[in-house]
Each structure stands twice: as structure tokens, then as C-alpha cells.
Amino acid sequence: MSSKPVLLAILLMLSFQYCKGQFNGKRNKKELILEVDTIAINTEFNIYDFKNINRIREYFNKSKLEHILKLEKEKDWPKLYYALKDYIKNFAIRNFYVDTYWIWRLAKLTELYGTEEEARSLYKLVLRHHHQGIDIHEIEIYYDSLNTQMTDQFVPLDYYYKLVEHRKAIDTLRPPPGVLLNMGRRINSRKADYGPTLALNDDVLIFTSQRNESEKGLDFTENEDLFFSTRKNGFWDLSQELKAINTQYNEGSACLSRDKKTLYFSRCESPLSMGNCDIFMATMQEDSTWGGIKNLGFNVNSISWDSHPSLSHTEDTLYFASDRIGGFGLSDIYFTYKDGNGGWARAQNLGPVINTRKNDVSPFYHPKHHVLYFSSNGQLYSFGEFDIYKAYKKDNRWSEPVNIGPLVNGPGNEFYFTIDSESRDLYYSRSANRDLTKQDLYSFPLPMGANPNALTRVTGSLTDSLTGKPFTGIVSIIDMDEKVEVAPKYLKADGSFEFDLVNNRNYLLVIQGDEFFRIEEMFYLDGPADFRKVTEPIASRVKFESIEFDIGQSNLKTEMYGDLNKIVNFMYDNLDFFLKISGHTDSFGSADVNLKLSKERAKTIRDYIVIFGGVDQHRVSHEGYGSTQPIVDEITEEDKKLNRRVEFEIYRPAVGVGQGK
């Protein structure tokens, strides 16, 4: 990779900054299409092929454009819609930043005369490619709405982990094990380590490191070199330098063929380089050493920066990143393929769905599935600077890129993502802040958001059974087969939720909040599923029909456990709530005996919640009132039964009260 990404990041910080435009006026229902579409659907594919992308620099047809301007002036919207469709399908790369206005106009017309899917795709093209100076004031407001709604759905990890830690003694919920698990000093160094790649059988890891220094004149400077580690008995050996490849120049960003006999990598500032960095290949020699190193040539490399090679699983296509002139942004992803003579054909741009006006780098093509992962700071829905995205290929078209979620992407930078062949573990590099010299390699079980098979949509909602209004709360889904939890989300404003999951697995759905008792449901996913849940809100005082003691007794009965566990779960889900348990009897018998019995019953329930349930004791109080607080006059046996009760008062204390001080 060399020093180029550091330079790119610096350029990023100095250029192409969003201007936060003001939007005046009201938007109608159709203008809210994008706000509803808060996460890209994996099957939403680009509707245009844009066949001129790699044929010409810019498309221009004077007569057609004059006709479009005439229709615009006459406000003949139906004819303008079809004229724009015919014109825009011919766009080449340059059109995406000089003629973005026309894509925007077509998007708005498509809301009226086309489909919502088509309109969404066009709006997203505009958001990826518009530049400063274009007078489209609504773009930023759309972008902010899209990005905020998507990222704000996810529960912040620090809060989530505190919640799980607090309740893990009794709960089934677990975060994915080893999230943000640094690979340690057997792999990482005190310098930057990044760019991991795996051999097909997942037993060889190759990566880039800046741990070495090279002498330049009287000074020593950090040198980028390739290192490798082999896995034995489930553990990675101490990393070693790939000495046959490394030189006094910078080497990095490698990928290995299936048979482990061909290595593609980047070498920078060498006499054999055509530009800043070029992609080279090496072959395994008969003596098991690397040799035959050669530049891939002018069909692949340019006079600029070319790096980050990744082979398709058929190994007839090579993806890579380049900042060559003529792309969509600061850096784009390109591809080349084997021609009929076994050489590499002229490189082509991957197009306006994958590439943006900013940086799109470090492509990784899954070893078994038609899924491309890459890093970008120009795509929609971002959690930080550079995030990892995935896109699916079908019928030679790319789907809308999907952010793989906060269990991988954070507020810093994430680069160089790779997955093992079985889609169980991921390997990637990240920096906790903008300092790219502090990158380390991380590895942990693959979260659901990054899984290439997470294509089955699960939707649902939760509403108040009394009013029909939506609840607020947190939705969690646990993969019971893999024993990990999907990144939890907040219920949307309308009470709905959605997840993309791997089909044909067992899951547990959990919805929790401070207005209702937790809802849990086990299900086996066999195709798209929808869960429409309704429940009653919790009153400040709760009485369960099951909590009814035998006459003169204070022992718990089996039928009480279900409702008592609802209380326990609620207390674990809502850490700022407290509980008061009140025991009551009917008026039959001695007042002193009744008072004692009511206290014993309240204490028995308190002990279950605190001792067995594990709720902090300072959050639970109990008291018995005997027969002094009847709710009805006792005339019949049914009246006495109503007065023999245990009440649960759930409340938030005033600030500074009940904090166990």
C-alpha cells in the first residue's frame, strides 16, 4: 500500500468537506422516500448499466440537451422524465460531477412517474457524486437524514456492553465474543500494521507493517514491508518477514492465489514502477522461494498510485484501488480481467455505485460468494471516517453498498477488511483515531452485519394494545445456532424494526423498554419474516393474577415464577428504575398475624428478585401492610381475594435518592 493512504487521509481532511445547506419549505410525502429508506436493502440493485463509464470520458449530445432544456422550460414533466432517462443512461464518469443536476431532476421526476426503487437509486447517486458549487440545496439535508437515521438506529456499544455485563448472570443475551479483539504482539508491532490477507484454507496470514526502517542518505525512515504468520492448532505463530519480496522500497497490500503459488502485491517508488505505486506479481519457485517478480504492466498500472489488489474467487478478475486521473473521486476501485491470451486486460472503473467523489479503497472479494467488501469515506450511512461496506454482484450489476455495522465500524478509521473462506472470522485493521500510524490488526467472529449470507429481511413493530401508539425500546436478535447477538437497534419512531439475517437458523427476538415488560420469542428463519407485536404498558403499580399465596402461607408457587421473572428482566433492562414490593392481606383473623404474614410474603418475593434474580438489593424495597389498605370493602369471598394481594411499584427515584449511599 505504501504511504499513499496516509496522504489520502490528509487530503481528505483538507478537501471535499460537506457544506451544511439550509432547506427552506416543506416536503411532501413522496419527498420523504429517502428518509424511510434508512438502510440499503441487499437486493436493491442499480437500475442503470452506464455502459459509457469505461468507453468515453464524457457524454454530450447537443440536440438532446436542447430538447431537455425546452421541456424543462415548458414544464412538460412526463416528456422530460423520459427524455432525461434516455440521456442519463449514456453518462460517463465526468458527467457525474458536471451534470449531477440532471440526475437530481430525474430522481424527483421518478417519484411521480417511476418506481420508488428507481428514485432511491438515483438520489443515492446524487449523494455520492455531487460536488461543492452545485446549487442543489436539498442534497445535504437528505444526506444528514439518511445517515442520522441509519446510524442512530444502533444502540451505542458502551451502553450495550454495560447492560449485558449487568445482566449476564441470568440472561441469554451475549455480545459477539471478542469484539475489537486485537491480534496481539505475535502479529502487531509498535508501528502501523494493516492490509491482512488469507490463503484459501485460512492457515496463512499475510499483512503489511511499518516496523522496519530503511536508510535514505543520512536518515532512517520507516519502510513498508510484507510479513506473514501461519496458524497451527488454532493459534497464529510469531510473524516473520517475507524477505524474498521485501526490498529497500515499500511493499504491501498483498493477496495470494488459491494454490499459494502466485502473490500479487504493491511496490512503491521502485525503478520498475510506472507511478507512485504499482501492482506486481511473484511466483513460487521450485525451491519454495518467491521469484519471477514483475510489474503487471500498463494495462493495470498507471502513472499514479495503484494498490490493494484482491482476486475474485475464480481468480480471473483482479480488483484494486487507484487515484489515477479520470476517476470519480480521490481514489476509486478498478478491476481487470484475464484476456484470451492469459494476460490482464485494460483496467476499468467499477462504476458510480461503488465509487464516490471521495476515497474508495482496499477492495476484498469474498473467496466463495459474489460479495465485494471495501473501505470508503464517501458512501452513505457512516459511523466514522472510513467505514467498511459490502455490495453484492448480480447480472453484472452492483447492489447498493451496505455499511456492515458498528460491531466493526467505529468513530475512527477501518481499512483492509478480509474474511476467512467459511465466513466465520474477520480480519481487519483500524485506528481508534485519525492517526493512521497507530493501526493494528484485529480479528474476531464475523458479526451478522458483515456476513455475506445475511440477505433475509426480518421486520416487525411494537405498539400499545390500548392506544395503538408505538413504543420506544431496544430490539435484539440472538443467533442461537452461533451463540452470538446481532448488533441491537432502537425501535424506530413508528415502533418498527428491521434486520438482515442468515436464513435457516434459529433466533431469539428480544424487545425491551421502560414502558413494557420484555418480549421474547424464539423462531426459525425460513424466508422473510414479520413480527407485529402488541402489549400493554406497565402501570406504575402492577398486580399479577399469578401472585396469589395460599391462605396463611408465604411460600412461592411454581406458577408465580413467570411473572416474577418479568419483573427481574425489567429491572435488568432498565437500570435507573427501582422497585417497591407491598404485601397485603384480607381482614380475616388477627391484625398482628396478618401484618406479619404480609411482611413475610413481601420479603419472600424480594428475596427471589434479589438473591435468585441478582437484582441489586439497594434497588428493591419491601413492606407489609396487613389488612390496613384494602382496595374494596369485604362483603364476599371474591372481595377478600382482591384484598389478598402483592403490589409492585416500579419507579424512577428523584435525583440523589435511593442510590445506595
Side-chain angles (χ1 to χ4, degrees), residues 146-164:
L146 280 167
N147 194 61
T148 300
Q149 288 188 45
M150 190 276 184
T151 56
D152 284 358
Q153 283 183 41
F154 289 95
V155 176
L157 286 184
D158 55 351
Y159 173 78
Y160 170 61
Y161 285 124
K162 288 178 182 177
L163 195 62
V164 173

Side-chain angles (χ1 to χ4, degrees), residues 304-570:
S304 300
W305 171 82
D306 302 283
S307 189
H308 305 173
S310 177
L311 283 170
S312 67
H313 50 72
T314 54
E315 300 194 348
D316 58 358
T317 304
L318 184 72
Y319 298 89
F320 64 96
S322 176
D323 69 349
R324 63 187 64 189
I325 295 173
F328 288 99
L330 296 178
S331 177
D332 282 4
I333 296 175
Y334 290 78
F335 72 98
T336 178
Y337 57 89
K338 288 286 183 69
D339 59 25
N341 298 319
W344 292 106
R346 188 171 185 82
Q348 299 183 44
N349 193 290
L350 212 55
V353 174
I354 301 299
N355 292 314
T356 68
R357 71 193 183 285
K358 293 188 177 182
N359 286 300
D360 302 280
V361 293
S362 61
F364 165 72
Y365 203 88
H366 193 280
K368 291 186 177 181
H369 303 283
H370 290 292
V371 186
L372 178 73
Y373 297 84
F374 63 99
S375 179
S376 175
N377 62 359
Q379 286 289 342
L380 310 180
Y381 321 118
S382 62
F383 291 93
E385 294 288 338
F386 282 85
D387 277 5
I388 305 295
Y389 296 81
K390 65 178 179 180
Y392 293 80
K393 190 175 184 181
K394 181 181 179 182
D395 299 330
N396 208 34
R397 291 180 178 180
W398 290 102
S399 70
E400 288 289 337
V402 178
N403 189 304
I404 64 175
L407 296 182
V408 174
N409 295 317
N413 296 288
E414 285 74 37
F415 298 102
Y416 311 109
F417 179 91
T418 190
I419 302 173
D420 69 0
S421 59
E422 300 303 319
S423 300
R424 291 188 176 275
D425 296 305
L426 67 85
Y427 300 81
Y428 81 124
S429 61
R430 70 184 299 268
S431 62
N433 49 48
R434 295 184 178 184
D435 186 357
L436 299 184
T437 66
K438 303 297 184 183
Q439 292 182 84
D440 272 352
L441 292 178
Y442 290 75
S443 174
F444 53 89
L446 189 68
M448 184 65 68
N451 196 302
N453 292 314
L455 293 165
T456 303
R457 178 58 56 95
V458 171
T459 57
S461 63
L462 179 65
T463 54
D464 189 324
S465 62
L466 302 180
T467 66
K469 294 181 178 180
F471 281 112
T472 59
I474 295 174
V475 187
S476 302
I477 293 184
I478 298 88
D479 183 338
M480 302 303 291
D481 293 339
E482 296 297 324
K483 306 302 181 185
V484 296
E485 183 170 1
V486 182
K489 298 179 182 180
Y490 291 110
L491 288 168
K492 297 180 186 179
D494 62 356
S496 67
F497 60 87
E498 56 188 19
F499 292 86
D500 290 320
L501 306 178
V502 176
N503 203 28
N504 302 126
R505 287 188 183 178
N506 292 290
Y507 294 94
L508 172 64
L509 170 69
V510 180
I511 310 177
Q512 61 198 80
D514 60 9
E515 300 176 292
F516 54 90
F517 287 120
R518 184 195 293 185
I519 296 171
E520 296 188 0
E521 180 172 338
M522 291 280 296
F523 66 95
Y524 178 78
L525 186 61
D526 185 16
D530 186 55
F531 297 90
R532 300 292 165 179
K533 300 291 184 181
V534 295
T535 191
E536 292 184 3
I538 297 177
S540 60
R541 293 181 182 272
V542 183
K543 177 181 179 297
F544 293 108
E545 295 296 330
S546 68
I547 312 298
E548 183 177 332
F549 291 89
D550 291 335
I551 296 175
Q553 301 296 314
S554 61
N555 298 323
L556 295 180
K557 296 187 291 185
T558 303
E559 54 265 32
M560 299 180 182
Y561 295 153
D563 285 330
L564 291 179
N565 288 338
K566 288 182 180 179
I567 294 288
V568 171
N569 284 333
F570 183 88

